[in-house]
Amino acid sequence: MVELIELSKTYQSKNKTVHAVDNISLKIENGEIFGIVGYSGAGKSSLLRCINMLEKPTSGQVLIDGTDITKLSLPDLRRLRQSIGMIFQHFNLIANRTVAGNIAYPMEVAGKSKAEIANRTAELLELVELSDKANVYPAQLSGGQKQRVGIARALANDPKLLLCDEATSALDPKTTRSILNLLKRINQQLGISIVLITHEMEVVKEICHRVAIMSEGKIVETGTAFQIFANPQEEITKGFVNSVLDIQLPAHLLTDKGDNKQLIKVVFKGKEAEEPIIDSMLRNFSVKANFLHARIDYIQDTPMGVFVLELAGDLAERERAIAFLDRETAGTEVIPYVS
């Protein structure tokens, strides 16, 4: 387990103190994928680098399996870092080494035997599906392949913890999905804890178990990935969630249609997203519904649905129908027409 206790990191810049990490306390459980989300300058990278002491915290503690690594001697810290792998946004591969050579490098530094290095390199090449690229140089690889090499290199010394610094932000959407699937498989098969920093909520939706939202050096909200998407509390969190789930209806659909119609947004969470609640409403109340938007996302295999419909009928029936939806779903919202 990783535990941060009142962790701070400050920098001096042109007579100004910058609080990159500001008194953060956080627990990351063994075997989970933990996302740290924030805009550029929020302090995400500084926080991540404090976890493996690439940045020395100004104050506070970093506990890994109960050991405060801020108090370790340099030799002990070097040994501990062998149990922490790191994946970088821009890959950081050694240009004059082959794929196999890049993967082998951390094991060479750790003093492993040639036989150990050869066996482990072959295992990792198979794991990241690059066995046919062992003798190829980085310049001959695609971005996704380079990141697979970076992941294999990070796993070379059998780490307990994997730190990912914007590991997919330099990749196209299709390649991003393949890398996230690989990280998910590594987490499930090897039980490795993963801390992943990102500004992309699609990444969080696809892979993270729990999430912390970071702003101006502070953690402003934490929760499971589903909690964060289904019920964001802070405005910055709502902004991140809306970047993935926001509904933008064309102007003509928002034009006032008269007194007997209104637009309704309905949110479903969990099992209710798979229940025929809308069908029940239409059968039990004298209203008609025109669907303008419908979407169901799966966050850690739990469904969350957002529907927008135009509800038609007399006012009393519409109010009864909306009250029914309020009771049976996660909530409704009336979207005002534009005159």
Side-chain angles (χ1 to χ4, degrees):
M1 181 177 73
V2 178
E3 185 174 5
L4 311 180
I5 302 174
E6 297 179 355
L7 191 72
S8 294
K9 176 64 182 178
T10 60
Y11 302 95
Q12 293 297 324
S13 175
K14 295 181 180 178
N15 301 318
K16 178 183 177 183
T17 301
V18 178
H19 297 279
V21 179
D22 192 357
N23 197 38
I24 284 177
S25 294
L26 195 64
K27 286 184 180 180
I28 299 164
E29 302 293 341
N30 288 336
E32 75 174 339
I33 303 176
F34 192 96
I36 299 173
V37 181
Y39 294 114
S40 178
K44 309 185 300 296
S45 291
S46 293
L47 178 61
L48 195 76
R49 290 167 67 86
C50 284
I51 293 175
N52 64 359
M53 293 289 289
L54 288 177
E55 294 279 359
K56 185 172 176 57
T58 304
S59 62
Q61 297 173 281
V62 179
L63 275 60
I64 296 182
D65 292 335
T67 299
D68 185 358
I69 68 171
T70 66
K71 293 182 169 59
L72 292 181
S73 66
L74 193 55
D76 286 342
L77 184 59
R78 287 197 187 105
R79 280 191 289 273
L80 176 119
R81 283 189 182 133
Q82 291 178 17
S83 68
I84 303 174
M86 189 148 184
I87 304 168
F88 302 92
Q89 176 181 0
H90 296 296
F91 321 127
N92 289 9
L93 301 182
I94 303 170
N96 62 359
R97 275 183 171 246
T98 63
V99 165
N102 270 276
I103 297 170
Y105 182 72
M107 293 181 279
E108 293 170 6
V109 172
K112 301 284 181 70
S113 70
K114 288 185 177 180
E116 284 180 292
I117 292 171
N119 289 336
R120 181 63 174 158
T121 299
E123 288 175 5
L124 291 169
L125 283 167
E126 184 176 354
L127 177 68
V128 300
E129 300 174 346
L130 289 178
S131 295
D132 60 333
K133 303 291 183 184
N135 298 314
V136 168
Y137 287 88
Q140 300 168 273
L141 301 175
S142 68
Q145 290 170 334
K146 289 177 183 177
Q147 195 56 287
R148 286 173 181 270
V149 178
I151 291 169
R153 179 184 58 189
L155 296 172
N157 286 316
D158 294 308
K160 300 176 183 177
L161 177 65
L162 202 55
L163 306 180
C164 303
D165 189 356
E166 298 277 8
T168 60
S169 62
L171 305 175
D172 63 76
K174 182 179 179 181
T175 305
T176 291
R177 282 193 296 274
S178 73
I179 294 298
L180 293 178
N181 286 334
L182 174 59
L183 290 174
K184 191 184 295 186
R185 181 156 52 89
I186 287 167
N187 170 256
Q188 292 170 345
Q189 291 181 2
L190 305 181
I192 295 175
S193 306
I194 299 176
V195 181
L196 186 149
I197 70 170
T198 184
H199 61 276
E200 300 170 299
M201 289 301 283
E202 280 287 357
V203 170
V204 172
K205 182 167 72 72
E206 289 294 325
I207 194 173
C208 293
H209 300 123
R210 289 197 300 134
V211 190
I213 306 298
M214 195 169 179
S215 178
E216 297 181 345
K218 295 179 179 293
I219 298 295
V220 297
E221 188 167 354
T222 60
T224 66
F226 187 82
Q227 287 168 343
I228 291 294
F229 273 93
N231 192 28
Q233 299 297 306
E234 302 295 327
E235 287 304 314
I236 187 171
T237 310
K238 292 175 184 177
F240 275 116
V241 170
N242 285 341
S243 71
V244 176
L245 302 181
D246 197 19
I247 299 166
Q248 297 291 336
L249 295 176
H252 73 274
L253 294 178
L254 295 172
T255 303
D256 197 339
K257 303 295 195 310
D259 293 338
N260 67 334
K261 292 183 179 180
Q262 61 193 127
L263 293 178
I264 306 294
K265 175 183 173 183
V266 189
V267 178
F268 301 85
K269 299 176 187 176
K271 290 183 178 179
E272 66 189 29
E274 298 172 339
E275 298 294 326
I277 294 171
I278 298 292
D279 180 63
S280 295
M281 178 200 71
L282 293 173
R283 284 189 286 104
N284 287 290
F285 304 97
S286 298
V287 294
K288 294 182 179 181
N290 179 25
F291 284 87
L292 305 180
H293 173 95
R295 170 175 181 162
I296 294 180
D297 288 280
Y298 286 83
I299 301 162
Q300 285 300 314
D301 298 324
T302 303
M304 189 176 101
V306 179
F307 291 69
V308 176
L309 51 93
E310 189 170 58
L311 203 60
D314 68 55
L315 179 60
E317 282 298 289
R318 279 186 278 131
E319 287 179 344
R320 290 178 63 211
I322 293 170
F324 169 81
L325 291 175
D326 266 332
R327 290 193 304 271
E328 299 297 324
T329 71
T332 62
E333 176 188 346
V334 176
I335 301 174
Y337 284 118
V338 177
S339 299

